[in-house]
Amino acid sequence: MNRIAVVAAAMLFSLSLCSAQNFVYTITRGDSQSKVTFIPKKDAPMSDLTIRMGTQEARHLMDKNNCTTSWHVADKSANTDITVTLSDGYYYLKGTFKGTAFDKKIKSDGTPWYQHIGYVAGHVLKKGEKITFTCVRPTDMKIFPMTAEIIGTEAIGKHQDATCVRVSPAGAFARFWKSYYYFNPKTLDFVGYHAVEGGPGTPESFWVLD
């Protein structure tokens, strides 16, 4: 094999490694479709995750227990560039959200922070166990307690035996809204999601791993 062929082969191999790091999901909402891409950092796939959807990019940093420690969201079209961090028992929110300046300090109630429960569900949930965790609501930057539990096995996309996780607000609000996340029981990868993300009559949103 000549030198040019060797270089070309090396470049193709390098590109395949890079592309293998990305997880692309098709989002279907009624008659519309779009894409969202999950980009885990190559040398630490469970500690550094970037999610790109449309004009928005969000970076999630997680500790060895898969708990979120920092979440940064940037979206020029929405005039948003904000970082939320958890340190010494407090959430710190700094930056701009939808044109409004944020500089807040909010005490944590001690529950783990899983900003994207679907991504870590396979690693933090066990059958028969219901956990309470915290999530920063992306629509208004409010901090909410949530619950998650494995409810069985369902098919989504090409995955016929995905593990289904039901997520809902903790307490009385649980009866008003639920979402469902799916992960591969063998690889523990996040493979799908569905929920109604709006008022009555809003079509369900489905995320399916390509």
Side-chain angles (χ1 to χ4, degrees), residues 143-163:
I143 299 169
F144 274 85
M146 308 287 288
T147 64
E149 59 183 326
I150 293 173
I151 61 170
T153 298
E154 292 185 20
I156 187 166
K158 65 181 180 180
H159 302 276
Q160 299 302 307
D161 60 347
T163 301

Side-chain angles (χ1 to χ4, degrees), residues 2-185:
N2 61 35
R3 186 172 181 274
I4 294 176
V6 170
V7 172
M11 289 177 66
L12 286 171
F13 180 68
S14 176
L15 286 170
S16 69
L17 284 179
C18 291
S19 64
Q21 297 303 305
N22 296 356
F23 296 85
V24 180
Y25 302 80
T26 296
I27 304 174
T28 302
R29 186 178 295 115
D31 296 328
S32 68
Q33 284 194 335
S34 57
K35 298 285 185 179
V36 57
T37 304
F38 282 42
I39 309 168
K41 191 174 180 179
K42 182 179 177 181
D43 59 353
M46 285 306 300
S47 63
D48 191 336
L49 171 70
T50 296
I51 301 177
R52 291 176 181 161
M53 181 167 56
T55 60
Q56 184 187 98
E57 179 172 296
R59 187 181 183 193
H60 303 243
L61 298 181
M62 293 160 277
D63 64 19
K64 63 181 181 180
N65 297 315
N66 303 307
C67 294
T68 307
T69 58
S70 176
W71 179 51
H72 173 243
V73 183
D75 188 343
K76 287 185 179 180
S77 68
N79 198 7
T80 292
D81 192 329
I82 189 167
T83 299
V84 183
T85 57
L86 178 60
S87 178
D88 298 324
Y90 285 90
Y91 290 92
Y92 296 88
L93 299 84
K94 293 186 178 181
T96 303
F97 178 70
K98 295 181 180 179
T100 300
F102 265 69
D103 190 356
K104 294 183 178 181
K105 177 182 177 181
I106 302 172
K107 187 171 178 57
S108 167
D109 65 1
T111 56
W113 178 21
Y114 300 130
Q115 187 58 31
H116 198 294
I117 186 63
Y119 185 69
V120 301
H123 300 266
V124 301
L125 281 170
K126 298 177 182 178
K127 283 187 177 181
E129 177 186 38
K130 186 175 185 178
I131 66 168
T132 299
F133 66 99
T134 294
C135 179
V136 182
R137 194 162 65 181
T139 55
D140 56 13
M141 290 293 138
K142 291 185 178 180
I143 299 169
F144 274 85
M146 308 287 288
T147 64
E149 59 183 326
I150 293 173
I151 61 170
T153 298
E154 292 185 20
I156 187 166
K158 65 181 180 180
H159 302 276
Q160 299 302 307
D161 60 347
T163 301
C164 180
V165 176
R166 181 172 59 209
V167 175
S168 58
F173 289 106
R175 60 179 176 166
F176 297 110
W177 186 80
K178 294 178 176 61
S179 59
Y180 300 87
Y181 294 81
Y182 302 84
F183 65 87
N184 185 317

